[in-house]
Amino acid sequence: MSTPTTLLQLQPGTAVVYQNRLHRITHVLDLDEVLLADDETNQVSHAKVGDLEAVVGNSQPSARPDLLQVLDKDWEEAKRRYEIIRPLLDKADRSRQDVTDRGKAFGHHANTLYEWLRRYEDNHLLTSLLPRTRSDKGATKLTPEIEAIIQVVVESEYLTKQRKSQQKVCDEVRKRCLNAGIEPPHDNTVRNRLKLLAGEYVMTKRRGRKAADQAYSPIEGSFPGADWPLAVVQIDHTPLDIILVDDIDRRPVGKPWITMAIDVFSRMAVGFYVSFDPPGALSAGQCLANAILPKEGWLAKHGVKGEWPCWGIPAKLHMDNAREFRGNMLKRACDQYGIDIEWRPVARPHFGGHIERLLGTFANEIHTLPGTTFSNVQERGGYDSEGRAALSLTELEEWLVTFIVNVYHQRVHSGLRMPPIEKYRQGIFGTKDMPGRGLPARITDVDRLRLDLMPYEERTVQDYGVVIDEIHYYHDVLRRWINAPDPVAPKYKRKFMFRRDPRDISTIWFYDPEVDLYYPIPYRDTSHPPISIWEMREAKRRAEADGRRHVDERALFAAYDRMREIEQNAQAKTMSARRATQRRKDHQEVVRQPTPPVAQMVEHTTPQPQTVPAILPFDEMDDLA
């Protein structure tokens, strides 16, 4: 099996680059330490996991389609193929008989499944299973008419309280097809469709919600499927009961929000995001990416001593039904990286108990900090929260991380009867009664992960470039696409995919459909300052309030300059003004982190590398609070 191009597997035998030399992992010592052997000299080295790099055979980025450009039917076919090969993936004792039996169950030759396994194990991305331009020989596909008949029969005959047998469903499909003059599908095809239905959903329809709850609801102290680290990760957000101050004048700016992710198996906090921005797509994306990516760099940057050895792609993401968790971008991104999504059932709060208890733990600890507002007015009494406020957002983040890695992870958890870090270590390395899962693989194509989680817009390319929210963008890479006709409807202009970070809209990312790569596109007028989407909307609102019927780019940035002047010259800033200033500072600190360009362009069209934020959100744009 070839080394995955998007994941660095941390297991004995894996080739890695350490100190610019080729090594091979010989032993995994701990959650963040390994032994290496130099491929040429056989010299043994002791290394931190964070210092390892993946072996890359080609420096050019791998091209693959944008997730939202894939047709729904092709995406569903890729998901179907993944479900077929899923039991065979990472099966240590996988034999040809296993593959043959799995193929027969779904009407495919073993060679077809081997091809799908090879393609998926090469990069662990769902897009590797998309149908090729040329259809595979021997593939059998049902017509839309047969698909519609099967769907109707399943709903009307199988998913009912009458609980008809699978054979009855097969017979009914056959009868309706013959009546319509259509060749009926094989009974096994219908049975396989029934097998793909979620067990809880089937039981709910056939036996009722109560029976499904008894069979699938988690018992006290456990959660279904959370049998190893990162098997199930829960995510949720809440306001924090504390008033923070700005970094400059140390004056109150208000209460922040926190979005947090927890590994249900070990109760380890795997990621979080704190901001003054309203909870939504941005915070959900920040938190999820923070959970997936390693944390060594953040700990070193902020001088926090301790270990936070949590990284890797979760198998299942468990969330509530909030709008920010329901976007199409989240669904496609999770499909792409092999993450199952499970939404918490309405009016059944025990399904989110682990993350809610963790948020409650943090709330209690924060009540000991200066500036706390406590849980309610009665508890606060005469305490002057604003007058006692002392921590900035950056300082609160450092306090939170210190508490997570040096206190919460290290002390005994009442539900586990051991510290979360010890439970996590057991899940990774195993015990005498339970095998370990091994260290999770680390994402190597970090830039593309960020882009896959970034908001998007669709626009045509005009001779002056691209306009989004009255702001013009341009680079020579767009030149060949100016006024390009739509390939399907030539009388219309073609729309292209552009992604942008709401915290800094000075740069957008253009997806080139011919080469399946992204390129950074700056402001057409590079003298404009970087601003966030919230500042842009507020500037537009103020410009319209000044009586302008149409707000163009010049008027928008003029209004923004007036906003900055008012904030800077105010003798006594209001809390909202101070919060706006602090949010701008926080956003600029995030987006100024330099990263290498996502794609190397040809010489005559190479744009200057643009800064990319550390962690990026989903497709919905957050409204002003």
Side-chain angles (χ1 to χ4, degrees):
M1 182 174 64
S2 61
T3 303
T5 58
T6 57
L7 296 175
L8 173 58
Q9 302 289 351
L10 300 172
Q11 57 193 18
T14 300
V16 297
V17 175
Y18 176 64
Q19 295 182 345
N20 297 321
R21 292 182 61 84
L22 184 64
H23 290 71
R24 212 163 280 276
I25 297 176
T26 60
H27 298 82
V28 176
L29 302 180
D30 205 345
L31 295 175
D32 63 345
E33 297 178 349
V34 296
L35 281 183
L36 308 173
D38 190 297
D39 258 23
E40 292 185 5
T41 66
N42 287 326
Q43 180 178 351
V44 177
S45 302
H46 181 281
K48 289 285 188 179
V49 169
D51 296 331
L52 307 182
E53 300 177 15
V55 177
V56 181
N58 185 348
S59 61
Q60 293 296 323
S62 58
R64 63 176 189 262
D66 181 271
L67 302 184
L68 295 179
Q69 295 288 319
V70 179
L71 296 177
D72 288 343
K73 64 180 182 64
D74 291 341
W75 193 259
E76 291 303 318
E77 173 62 16
K79 289 171 64 176
R80 187 186 72 86
R81 294 178 178 183
Y82 176 72
E83 290 302 324
I84 292 174
I85 66 173
R86 189 172 189 172
L88 303 172
L89 294 170
D90 301 321
K91 182 177 171 57
D93 57 347
R94 184 175 75 203
S95 65
R96 184 171 184 85
Q97 189 60 46
D98 293 330
V99 179
T100 301
D101 292 344
R102 189 69 178 168
K104 285 182 178 179
F106 291 89
H108 293 289
H109 194 275
N111 290 348
T112 301
L113 267 64
Y114 271 116
E115 170 64 13
W116 294 347
L117 287 165
R118 183 195 64 77
R119 286 159 56 181
Y120 186 82
E121 290 177 337
D122 187 51
N123 60 23
H124 288 250
L125 297 174
L126 188 70
T127 44
S128 63
L129 297 177
L130 288 171
R132 300 288 175 84
T133 303
R134 180 178 62 86
S135 300
D136 293 335
K137 294 182 179 180
T140 58
K141 296 184 179 180
L142 301 180
T143 65
E145 292 80 9
I146 295 179
E147 292 281 6
I149 290 174
I150 293 176
Q151 182 176 351
V152 169
V153 173
V154 169
E155 291 287 341
S156 63
E157 303 294 323
Y158 188 66
L159 299 176
T160 67
K161 295 295 191 296
Q162 288 183 287
R163 303 201 294 271
K164 293 184 179 180
S165 67
Q166 292 188 3
Q167 187 58 51
K168 291 288 186 182
V169 176
C170 297
D171 294 342
E172 183 65 21
V173 169
R174 171 175 291 274
K175 184 184 75 173
R176 296 195 184 195
C177 287
L178 292 175
N179 289 343
I182 301 172
E183 180 68 24
H186 193 277
D187 285 359
N188 285 347
T189 301
V190 180
R191 294 179 187 276
N192 289 331
R193 297 300 174 87
L194 297 179
K195 290 179 182 178
L196 294 178
L197 295 174
E200 183 177 3
Y201 175 70
V202 172
M203 183 168 287
T204 300
K205 289 290 188 178
R206 289 166 65 89
R207 297 183 179 272
R209 180 71 264 171
K210 184 176 181 180
D213 279 346
Q214 293 175 346
Y216 291 93
S217 293
I219 60 175
E220 186 66 27
S222 69
F223 192 94
D227 302 322
W228 38 270
L230 299 184
V232 179
V233 168
Q234 288 184 343
I235 184 171
D236 206 350
H237 46 233
T238 187
L240 291 177
D241 298 329
I242 188 172
I243 300 293
L244 300 183
V245 300
D246 68 274
D247 290 331
I248 301 174
D249 299 322
R250 313 300 293 184
R251 302 183 66 181
V253 293
K255 297 169 62 173
W257 283 81
I258 185 170
T259 303
M260 181 158 281
I262 184 176
D263 170 45
V264 176
F265 171 83
S266 65
R267 311 300 199 274
M268 291 278 281
V270 294
F272 78 94
Y273 174 64
V274 181
S275 174
F276 291 113
D277 299 325
L282 173 60
S283 55
Q286 287 271 17
C287 182
L288 178 58
N290 180 239
I292 293 175
L293 298 176
K295 284 83 172 169
E296 300 100 333
W298 195 98
L299 295 175
K301 175 184 175 183
H302 292 271
V304 177
K305 294 183 178 180
E307 298 178 351
W308 196 355
C310 294
W311 64 78
I313 298 172
K316 178 181 291 185
L317 202 59
H318 188 262
M319 304 166 291
D320 66 17
N321 284 276
R323 178 181 63 86
E324 56 270 20
F325 298 134
R326 286 281 184 175
N328 187 51
M329 189 70 259
L330 172 60
K331 297 175 184 176
R332 286 258 171 134
C334 287
D335 284 344
Q336 170 74 329
Y337 293 96
I339 304 173
D340 289 336
I341 298 179
E342 182 176 283
W343 284 284
R344 185 190 309 175
V346 178
R348 295 160 75 197
H350 64 283
F351 268 75
H354 297 95
I355 185 61
E356 290 179 354
R357 281 193 291 273
L358 178 61
L359 292 172
T361 298
F362 276 76
N364 291 333
E365 295 292 336
I366 284 173
H367 291 169
T368 66
L369 297 178
T372 178
T373 60
F374 297 94
S375 299
N376 51 61
V377 176
Q378 291 76 18
E379 187 179 354
R380 183 164 68 245
Y383 183 81
D384 182 5
S385 300
E386 291 187 19
R388 297 291 185 90
L391 294 176
S392 68
L393 186 139
T394 301
E395 291 163 344
L396 177 66
E397 281 188 332
E398 293 175 0
W399 180 91
L400 284 168
V401 172
T402 300
F403 175 76
I404 289 173
V405 301
N406 295 320
V407 180
Y408 172 74
H409 285 170
Q410 306 297 330
R411 70 187 182 190
V412 175
H413 189 285
S414 60
L416 301 174
R417 298 182 180 179
M418 67 178 69
I421 187 69
E422 180 59 28
K423 182 69 173 178
Y424 188 79
R425 182 175 282 106
Q426 288 184 3
I428 296 297
F429 297 111
T431 65
K432 63 179 182 179
D433 301 319
M434 177 187 70
R437 65 149 291 173
L439 287 178
R442 289 163 69 108
I443 284 284
T444 59
D445 196 351
V446 175
D447 291 327
R448 189 55 188 261
L449 170 71
R450 295 169 178 166
L451 283 168
D452 285 339
L453 303 179
M454 192 185 293
Y456 73 96
E457 302 279 351
E458 288 185 316
R459 292 291 188 275
T460 59
V461 178
Q462 309 293 330
D463 53 3
Y464 47 77
V466 175
V467 178
I468 300 178
D469 288 328
E470 316 300 335
I471 300 176
H472 291 67
Y473 300 86
Y474 183 76
H475 192 278
D476 283 344
V477 71
L478 299 175
R479 185 186 301 275
R480 69 178 304 271
W481 298 109
I482 292 176
N483 295 320
D486 189 299
V488 178
K491 68 177 182 178
Y492 297 102
K493 292 183 179 179
R494 184 172 186 173
K495 288 188 175 182
F496 297 89
M497 179 81 68
F498 294 88
R499 294 183 179 269
R500 62 175 179 173
D501 177 10
R503 297 163 299 177
D504 179 8
I505 60 175
S506 62
T507 298
I508 59 177
W509 293 84
F510 165 63
Y511 172 70
D512 190 318
E514 281 196 348
V515 294
D516 290 333
L517 293 174
Y518 277 96
Y519 301 119
I521 311 297
Y523 286 148
R524 186 180 184 94
D525 184 348
T526 56
S527 66
H528 291 324
I531 64 174
S532 71
I533 191 171
W534 300 281
E535 292 172 315
M536 181 273 295
R537 289 173 178 170
E538 177 64 11
K540 185 175 182 179
R541 186 188 67 79
R542 295 198 179 195
E544 291 173 344
D546 291 340
R548 293 180 176 270
R549 299 182 62 184
H550 176 69
V551 180
D552 56 15
E553 181 176 315
R554 181 175 300 178
L556 192 153
F557 280 99
Y560 172 76
D561 290 338
R562 289 196 300 273
M563 290 164 50
R564 292 290 304 274
E565 185 178 356
I566 292 171
E567 293 172 10
Q568 293 171 359
N569 295 336
Q571 294 296 318
K573 295 179 180 179
T574 64
M575 183 179 290
S576 61
R578 292 194 298 272
R579 183 162 56 247
T581 302
Q582 186 64 36
R583 285 172 64 178
R584 182 183 304 110
K585 180 178 181 297
D586 295 334
H587 293 164
Q588 289 173 349
E589 286 188 355
V590 171
V591 300
R592 285 175 183 169
Q593 297 180 16
T595 63
V598 171
Q600 182 67 36
M601 303 171 57
V602 293
E603 289 187 7
H604 67 281
T605 60
T606 303
Q608 294 299 315
Q610 302 293 319
T611 55
V612 182
I615 308 171
L616 298 166
F618 298 128
D619 50 327
E620 306 93 334
M621 294 295 188
D622 299 289
D623 295 324
L624 284 168

